[in-house]
Amino acid sequence: MARKFFVGGNWKCNGTAEEVKKIVNTLNEAQVPSQDVVEVVVSPPYVFLPLVKSTLRSDFHVAAQNCWVKKGGAFTGEVSAEMLVNLDIPWVILGHSERRALLNETNEFVGEKVAYALAQGLKVIACVGETLEQRESGSTMDVVAAQTKAIADKVTNWSNVVVAYEPVWAIGTGKVASPAQAQEVHDELRKWLAKNVSADVAATTRIIYGGSVNGGNCKELGGQADVDGFLVGGASLKAEFIDIIKAAEVKKSA
Ligand code: PGA
């Protein structure tokens, strides 16, 4: 089974209601390849999820940027997976490096979150990736494998998981991974899944790249054999996101 190209837009903690409406309008008017070719998911901040969900074209879907690790209750400031399901939000991003680094989310905690969200029926974009220091010390694959293992330890069904490889040094820095650097880690990650989960999961799980993806670099990155799409931060707030969605076409001619 071919892996359908996946393009996610992570809006992070940005936007006013007016700005959100503008982005949605731009997306709604865009000519993009059909849903058979590319799956598009945008992730606004929690407070804008209902607005985006109710105004966004029906062939694009929405994701939350996080959710709580277990059933809701006395967890001030958190949003539970059950609430997302209740609002018909199909996707959630978990383990983003900004949460790992700034909010001290550990590999195990992220693994638990992924398992809990999946069990509630959400689909998960699970993020992994090394820091510059880790890359320079040669431990990229160890770090990414440990992050993936913490997820694999708790998850049995991978059909609703997309893995986002996002090198921390490439996020928001304008320093994109070269296509070869991205392909190398994606290939290693797929081999890791084959060895530690199953050949089928390795063959069917989408591994998307994130970190300074833009309209100029998306085609070459997307043309790599094991790059199944993108998680886009900064450029997902701009009209350029449409060009990134269109990069899915590179797979058709491949
Ligand atoms: P960036 O962010 O595209 O702004 O580098 C990517 C991400 O954090 O998902």
Side-chain angles (χ1 to χ4, degrees):
M1 191 186 76
R3 298 181 298 266
K4 193 193 290 183
F5 208 79
F6 185 101
V7 178
N10 175 9
W11 297 358
K12 308 195 179 182
C13 187
N14 289 298
T16 61
E18 289 65 38
E19 285 163 352
V20 165
K21 284 180 199 158
K22 270 196 202 150
I23 299 173
V24 170
N25 279 342
T26 305
L27 294 176
N28 286 351
E29 285 163 10
Q31 299 278 344
V32 296
S34 75
Q35 283 188 87
D36 313 336
V37 176
V38 60
E39 186 166 4
V40 180
V41 174
V42 296
S43 189
Y46 283 137
V47 292
F48 299 127
L49 278 169
L51 169 64
V52 175
K53 165 104 189 148
S54 64
T55 51
L56 187 67
R57 58 197 289 169
S58 62
D59 55 338
F60 288 7
H61 298 285
V62 288
Q65 294 174 15
N66 178 41
C67 66
W68 182 233
V69 65
K70 54 187 168 185
K71 192 170 160 58
F75 306 106
T76 303
E78 290 295 333
V79 168
S80 69
E82 291 86 349
M83 292 170 189
L84 299 178
V85 170
N86 179 241
L87 292 191
D88 254 337
I89 306 299
W91 286 91
V92 62
I93 298 172
L94 293 172
H96 190 279
S97 65
E98 284 149 17
R99 297 197 63 84
R100 290 179 187 265
L102 303 172
L103 296 150
N104 298 322
E105 293 197 4
T106 63
N107 291 354
E108 291 66 35
F109 189 64
V110 172
E112 278 173 47
K113 279 189 174 194
V114 172
Y116 190 79
L118 289 173
Q120 301 317 302
L122 291 170
K123 300 182 200 183
V124 175
I125 302 166
C127 306
V128 299
E130 82 290 358
T131 62
L132 184 59
E133 204 182 13
Q134 289 164 335
R135 173 161 283 263
E136 286 177 346
S137 70
S139 55
T140 295
M141 206 44 223
D142 292 343
V143 169
V144 168
Q147 291 167 334
T148 311
K149 181 177 186 301
I151 296 166
D153 282 348
K154 304 213 166 62
V155 168
T156 43
N157 185 346
W158 284 72
S159 52
N160 286 334
V161 180
V162 168
V163 177
Y165 168 60
E166 300 202 296
V168 178
W169 48 270
I171 294 180
T173 59
K175 251 178 90 177
V176 64
S178 69
Q181 281 175 323
Q183 169 57 24
E184 184 185 19
V185 179
H186 285 228
D187 173 55
E188 292 279 349
L189 254 174
R190 207 175 296 290
K191 285 184 185 143
W192 188 94
L193 288 173
K195 187 162 174 238
N196 297 282
V197 183
S198 75
D200 182 55
V201 165
T204 54
T205 301
R206 274 130 356 138
I207 305 177
I208 62 176
Y209 168 81
S212 297
V213 175
N214 61 34
N217 59 32
C218 58
K219 278 198 187 142
E220 208 188 337
L221 282 163
Q224 303 300 306
D226 289 288
V227 175
D228 304 315
F230 306 113
L231 186 56
V232 185
S236 72
L237 298 164
K238 305 179 192 160
E240 172 178 8
F241 188 60
I242 312 295
D243 297 326
I244 301 174
I245 297 170
K246 288 183 185 158
E249 305 269 3
V250 298
K251 292 293 192 215
K252 275 210 307 200
S253 48

